[in-house]
Each structure stands twice: as structure tokens, then as C-alpha cells.
């Protein structure tokens, strides 16, 4: 299950840096706005698939949706490697391939529902933290794999018999497909249905073949607290929403505030995000021990407060204005209209192309963003401090949301519920970039980060309101004493 979660995140991140140059190579008609759809298609596919695979896992052996979903991802990666073959509409084949990879990644709902059913309450936080750590490592290593494959070069090797081009763009997805095949073999060879109650006692699983569907132990009697379920879904949406904003805004913000070139922004932000990823893995490990002393609810509350402080620090405070790009444009005789037009997608820095007859890249905050003329710059120390805090608060909130959610649901089959939670996270990853691209471009960082702070404050208020309801199913029905839930 950990490996499946790892491969799911690798499938997203292993091509994220090369999508735009590959898209331009196979279909010159594709523009930067279409790139946004290709990036978003992964999350859309996952959002659609998660509840479906979750429902499937509630009534059938979990091996079935896991194998089918992984097979879909393998096929989609192979399709991505062949999108150069058709003579037209290549961009739509790439869009389809990425959407199907996301659809296959809907199996994370099955993974988390399996882990929830196979662990006792005392084991749950640790298992969920390990799962999230594997997911984070996948996001970190994906771009590393991509970087290694760049040594193959753009031309690479071509097998004319099967019309396969093995180059820096296709090798990562073929590697992902190979990992998927290995994952399927391991699912058949190793995975066994296993279900315990909240105390860790073995009990019947409705997912095992040969057993009557619907045979549950007596501890499953009782209704799930749907108010708590909806609250956690909302909190999880907000957590992933603000992190998607954080990821999306990094490149354009640093280019505007610090006059970094595209190359510098990619390099420095790549280092920063890698450090944040490593920080997250460490936090996942620490939070397992900390939760035993303080409880999940208190840690979730603390994590949201840290995220709030992280975005509050990003608000412009000083008097110094950022360098204005119109001066650079004037000095280099470069038209200033192209920069803002290409800024909107944000998902890929390479979307911002200079005219072919110019060699000097404009830097600074473009005058076409009117807020650049009156909004103070965000100092580098503010940005770094914010990165550290958000990198600390996000993994805490992520793990605690999943852990509390699974405990609230109790011994009942959790596939559908986990599917909805995954879908809410996918929706947040779609809407976050759209939100920040509009607010940041037209109103600036002060409005963008103020609104984010407002959203986090609302989440903290909601957490206060439902705080006493966020308890384990067994505790709610008096079958266990509340220790540090």
C-alpha cells in the first residue's frame, strides 16, 4: 500500500517539468492556456475516480480496484509515450493520457481505506503518517527521476518497428509504467485482505472473497457523525487549496519581487521546494510520536495556526517597491504585452516565451500588473520564513485530517468516504491555481494572501465549533475510553 501511494505521486510529478517543452514539440498549435488544462486534467481524473474506486472497494476485494487502477495508469503512461505519432490533435492525446493517469491515481482512496481498516486506533496515526511520507517522497523523487532522464537528450533512441521514441520526455513515463507493472505483480503476490476493529482484534472483512457481503462485527453498529465528516472534508479542501496556492505562486512571485530570470526562478524555487519536501517527511515522522502525547485534534489546530502565520508573513509590509519591468522593457526594446499574457497559467514557468528576435529577458514586476506601482515588495527573508512555516504546517494538517477522518468513520467500510476526501483534495488542487492566477494578477499579493488568511481563519473557527465531535467512532459509542483523541 505504501508503494502504491508512492507510485501514485511519482506518476504526477515525474513529468511535470517537461510537459510544456514536450507539448510544444509534438503540437506547435498548443498554447500556454492549454498547458493549464493538461496539468489540471490529472486532478480532474483523480477527483472523478476516487469515489468510484472507493465504492468498488467497499463491496469487492480491494485487489480488484487496485490492479485495474494501476493498469489504467500503466496504459496511460504508454499512451503519453506515443502522443507524437498521430499527425494532428496531438495535444488532445496528451490531455487524455494525463487525465487517465489521474484517473488511475484515484486508487489512493482504496489505499487509505485499506490502511484504516487494517490498523487499530493506536496504530492509525503512525500508519497514516507513513502513507503521507511515501506520497511526499514520491513528489520529491519524481522531478529527480526526470532530471536523470534528461541525460538521454531530446532525440534519444528510436525503435522504428514499434514507432517508439525513447528520449528525455518519454523515458520517465515508460519508467513509471514499469514501476506500475511491478506494483501489480506485488499486489497479486503480497496483498491480503486484513481487517481489525479499533482495539486491534481480528474481524471478518466484507472484502474477502467467499464471504457474505455485509457481514460486519457488532462494533460497526451505529451511525457515522456526518457533521464531523463534512467538517473534515472542508478542512482538508482548505489545507490542499492553500498548499496548491503556495506551490503555484512561488515562481511568479519570486520573479516579480526579486527580478529573477526564468532560469533563476526554476533553480532557486526547485531547491526551496525540495527542502520543504524533506522537511515534510521529517514532520511526518515526528508527528507520529507527538500525537500520542497531545492528540490529533490539538495538532491539527496547531498546524492550521502555523499555516496562517506562514501566509500572514507573506503580506507586504515595507515601503520599498519591487523593480518595475517597464524600465527593463524600455531599455531592451522588448514589447511588454507578452509577459502578462504568458503569466496567467503559472503551472509551468516555461510558458513565458520571449519573442524570437530578442535575446535579453525582461525582469522585475511587469507594469501591466497595476499593483506593482504601489505594493511594497515582499523581502526574501519573508518568503523563506513563509516557506519554512508552510512546509511545517501543511504535512501536520494533512496527516491529522486523514487520521481523524478514519477514526470518525470507525469500523464501517471507508472506501466511498475516503474517495470523497480524496476528491475534495483534487478539487482544491484544481481551484487553487485558478484562484491565485486571477487574484494575484489583477489585485496583487496583498489581496491574494489576505484572502488566504481569511480562509484559514474560517477553518480555525469551524474546527473550534466541531472540536468535540472529532472523536473516534468507538469512543463516541462508549466502546473505548478517549485517551488523546
Amino acid at each position: 500500500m505504501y508503494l502504491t501511494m508512492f507510485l501514485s505521486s511519482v506518476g504526477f510529478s515525474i513529468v511535470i517539468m517537461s510537459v510544456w517543452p514536450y507539448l510544444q514539440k509534438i503540437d506547435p498549435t498548443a498554447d500556454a492556456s492549454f498547458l493549464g488544462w493538461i496539468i489540471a486534467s490529472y486532478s480532474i481524473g483523480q477527483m472523478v475516480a476516487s469515489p468510484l474506486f472507493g465504492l468498488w472497494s467497499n463491496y469487492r476485494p480491494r485487489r480488484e480496484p487496485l490492479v485495474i487502477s494501476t493498469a489504467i495508469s500503466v496504459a496511460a503512461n504508454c499512451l503519453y509515450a506515443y502522443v507524437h505519432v498521430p499527425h494532428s490533435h496531438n495535444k488532445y492525446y496528451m490531455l487524455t493520457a494525463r487525465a487517465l493517469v489521474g484517473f488511475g491515481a484515484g486508487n489512493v482512496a482504496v489505499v487509505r481505506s485499506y490502511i484504516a481498516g487494517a490498523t487499530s486506533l493506536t496504530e492509525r496515526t503512525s500508519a497514516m503518517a507513513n502513507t503521507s511520507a511515501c506520497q511526499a517522497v514520491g513528489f520529491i523523487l519524481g522531478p529527480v527521476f526526470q532530471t536523470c532522464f534528461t541525460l538521454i537528450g531530446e532525440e534519444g533512441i528510436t525503435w522504428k518497428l514499434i514507432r517508439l521514441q525513447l528520449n528525455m520526455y518519454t523515458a520517465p513515463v515508460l519508467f513509471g509504467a514499469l514501476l506500475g507493472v511491478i506494483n501489480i505483480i506485488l499486489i497479486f503476490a503480497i496483498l491480503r485482505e486484513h481487517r481489525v476493529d479499533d482495539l486491534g482484534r481480528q474481524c471478518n472483512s466484507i472484502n474477502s472473497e467467499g464471504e457474505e457481503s455485509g457481514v460486519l462485527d457488532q462494533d460497526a453498529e451505529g451511525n457515522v457523525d456526518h457533521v464531523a465528516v463534512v467538517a473534515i472534508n472542508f478542512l482538508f479542501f482548505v489545507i490542499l487549496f492553500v498548499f496548491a496556492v503556495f506551490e503555484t505562486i512561488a515562481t511568479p512571485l519570486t520573479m516579480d519581487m526579486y527580478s529573477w530570470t526564468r532560469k533563476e526562478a526554476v533553480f532557486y524555487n526547485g531547491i526551496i521546494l525540495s527542502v520543504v519536501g524533506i522537511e515534510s517527511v521529517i514532520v511526518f515522522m515526528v508527528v507520529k510520536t507527538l500525537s500520542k502525547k497531545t492528540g490529533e485534534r490539538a495538532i491539527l489546530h496547531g498546524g492550521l495556526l502555523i499555516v496562517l502565520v506562514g501566509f500572514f508573513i507573506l503580506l507586504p509590509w515595507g515601503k520599498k517597491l519591487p523593480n518595475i519591468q517597464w524600465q527593463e522593457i524600455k531599455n531592451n526594446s522588448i514589447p511588454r504585452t507578452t509577459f502578462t499574457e504568458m503569466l496567467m497559467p503559472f503551472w509551468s514557468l516555461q510558458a513565458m516565451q520571449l519573442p524570437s528576435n530578442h535575446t535579453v529577458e525582461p525582469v522585475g514586476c511587469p507594469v501591466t500588473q497595476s499593483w506593482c506601482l504601489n505594493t511594497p515588495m515582499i523581502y526574501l527573508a519573508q518568503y523563506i520564513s513563509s516557506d519554512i512555516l508552510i512546509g511545517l504546517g501543511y504535512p501536520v494538517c494533512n496527516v491529522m485530517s486523514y487520521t481523524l477522518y478514519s477514526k470518525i468513520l470507525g469500523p464501517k467500510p471507508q472506501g466511498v468516504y475516503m474517495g470523497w476526501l480524496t476528491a475534495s483534495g483534487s478539487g482544491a488542487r484544481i481551484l487553487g491555481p485558478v484562484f491565485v492566477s486571477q487574484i494575484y494578477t489583477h489585485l496583487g499579493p496583498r489581496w491574494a494572501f489576505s484572502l488566504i488568511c481569511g480562509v484559514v481563519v474560517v477553518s480555525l473557527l469551524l474546527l473550534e465549533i466541531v472540536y468535540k465531535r472529532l472523536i473516534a467512532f468507538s469512543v463516541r459509542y462508549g466502546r473505548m475510553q478517549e485517551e488523546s483523541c
Side-chain angles (χ1 to χ4, degrees):
M1 292 297 95
Y2 292 157
L3 176 65
T4 303
M5 186 64 76
F6 170 79
L7 294 179
S8 174
S9 56
V10 167
F12 172 77
S13 62
I14 198 169
V15 298
I16 202 68
M17 297 301 294
S18 65
V19 168
W20 177 243
Y22 189 38
L23 179 62
Q24 286 184 308
K25 181 179 180 180
I26 64 168
D27 196 335
T29 65
D31 57 14
S33 62
F34 195 83
L35 170 68
W37 283 107
I38 289 179
I39 300 298
S41 65
Y42 177 93
S43 295
I44 294 173
Q46 188 179 48
M47 184 172 64
V48 172
S50 295
L52 298 178
F53 286 131
L55 180 64
W56 189 351
S57 72
N58 274 2
Y59 297 100
R60 295 290 302 166
R62 291 190 180 94
R63 185 184 289 117
E64 293 178 7
L66 286 173
V67 168
I68 295 300
S69 60
T70 308
I72 290 172
S73 294
V74 170
N77 279 325
C78 292
L79 173 62
Y80 187 93
Y82 278 94
V83 293
H84 65 279
V85 174
H87 298 294
S88 61
H89 306 300
N90 304 73
K91 61 184 180 182
Y92 295 108
Y93 289 103
M94 180 181 284
L95 179 71
T96 302
R98 290 303 294 167
L100 287 174
V101 171
F103 193 89
N107 61 15
V108 298
V110 183
V111 172
R112 292 199 183 270
S113 67
Y114 178 92
I115 291 172
T119 54
S120 66
L121 284 185
T122 55
E123 298 169 325
R124 192 77 47 81
T125 303
S126 177
M128 287 295 181
N130 291 339
T131 307
S132 296
C134 290
Q135 192 173 29
V137 170
F139 281 123
I140 296 169
L141 291 183
V144 175
F145 292 145
Q146 170 72 76
T147 302
C148 294
F149 286 120
T150 56
L151 299 175
I152 300 176
E154 274 198 305
E155 298 304 320
I157 305 169
T158 302
W159 279 288
K160 294 183 179 180
L161 182 64
I162 55 175
R163 305 185 71 178
L164 175 64
Q165 291 182 359
L166 185 65
N167 53 37
M168 60 182 285
Y169 304 122
T170 61
V173 292
L174 293 174
F175 177 68
L178 175 62
L179 293 178
V181 172
I182 294 172
N183 192 23
I184 291 174
I185 294 171
L186 291 175
I187 289 172
F188 277 116
I190 296 175
L191 182 66
R192 298 290 180 269
E193 291 297 338
H194 179 71
R195 182 166 172 264
V196 297
D197 62 13
D198 285 348
L199 291 171
R201 298 171 301 190
Q202 186 88 23
C203 56
N204 292 335
S205 173
I206 64 171
N207 304 92
S208 298
E209 295 188 55
E211 294 185 10
E212 290 294 326
S213 178
V215 177
L216 295 173
D217 60 294
Q218 293 181 351
D219 284 347
E221 294 176 0
N223 296 320
V224 173
D225 186 349
H226 286 97
V227 173
V229 167
V230 171
I232 292 293
N233 270 277
F234 177 79
L235 292 173
F236 189 69
F237 176 90
V238 170
I239 292 161
L240 266 73
F241 180 85
V242 298
F243 191 72
V245 168
F246 164 71
E247 287 181 309
T248 303
I249 203 66
T251 294
L253 179 70
T254 51
M255 292 179 68
D256 290 345
M257 293 296 162
Y258 316 125
S259 300
W260 287 354
T261 62
R262 294 194 302 271
K263 184 177 180 180
E264 289 171 336
V266 168
F267 179 73
Y268 293 137
N269 281 304
I271 293 174
I272 290 170
L273 289 176
S274 297
V275 172
V276 168
I278 296 170
E279 178 191 9
S280 298
V281 174
I282 296 172
V283 171
F284 286 136
M285 298 298 102
V286 172
V287 82
K288 294 191 294 185
T289 303
L290 188 61
S291 65
K292 296 177 182 178
K293 299 179 180 179
T294 61
E296 287 87 3
R297 293 178 299 182
I299 295 180
L300 176 59
H301 195 279
L304 284 171
L305 283 173
I306 292 172
V307 171
L308 175 61
V309 173
F311 276 99
F312 187 76
I313 287 175
L314 272 180
L315 291 173
W317 295 107
K319 295 182 179 180
K320 183 181 178 181
L321 298 177
N323 294 330
I324 305 300
Q325 193 186 113
W326 68 267
Q327 296 172 329
E328 300 291 335
I329 293 171
K330 182 179 178 180
N331 292 339
N332 294 293
S333 301
I334 296 178
R336 67 192 184 201
T337 54
T338 56
F339 190 88
T340 303
E341 291 171 357
M342 294 299 187
L343 183 64
M344 282 191 63
F346 284 179
W347 290 286
S348 176
L349 188 62
Q350 291 88 342
M352 294 176 281
Q353 295 290 314
L354 286 172
S356 58
N357 58 331
H358 296 285
T359 57
V360 181
E361 177 183 346
V363 295
C365 199
V367 70
T368 45
Q369 293 177 166
S370 58
W371 58 264
C372 292
L373 300 174
N374 50 39
T375 301
M377 73 175 292
I378 298 169
Y379 293 97
L380 186 60
Q382 287 178 261
Y383 179 66
I384 298 297
S385 300
S386 176
D387 288 343
I388 293 171
L389 288 172
I390 294 171
L392 175 62
Y394 167 73
V396 168
C397 295
N398 183 292
V399 174
M400 292 304 105
S401 297
Y402 273 118
T403 304
L404 281 170
Y405 194 66
S406 65
K407 289 186 176 183
I408 290 166
L409 296 175
K412 294 177 180 290
Q414 298 188 7
V416 174
Y417 285 106
M418 284 294 178
W420 286 120
L421 190 67
T422 304
S424 67
S426 299
R429 295 190 70 87
I430 297 168
L431 294 178
V434 174
F435 165 84
V436 75
S437 67
Q438 296 299 316
I439 301 298
Y440 179 83
T441 303
H442 296 104
L443 300 177
R446 181 170 283 160
W447 272 96
F449 300 140
S450 294
L451 289 173
I452 290 297
C453 288
V455 170
V456 179
V457 168
V458 170
S459 301
L460 283 165
L461 291 174
L462 175 64
L463 181 58
E464 287 294 327
I465 293 171
V466 300
Y467 195 85
K468 293 183 178 180
R469 305 186 73 140
L470 303 182
I471 56 176
F473 186 93
S474 298
V475 173
R476 183 167 174 245
Y477 285 97
R479 300 189 184 115
M480 288 182 67
Q481 293 295 317
E482 182 176 11
E483 295 174 358
S484 58
C485 281

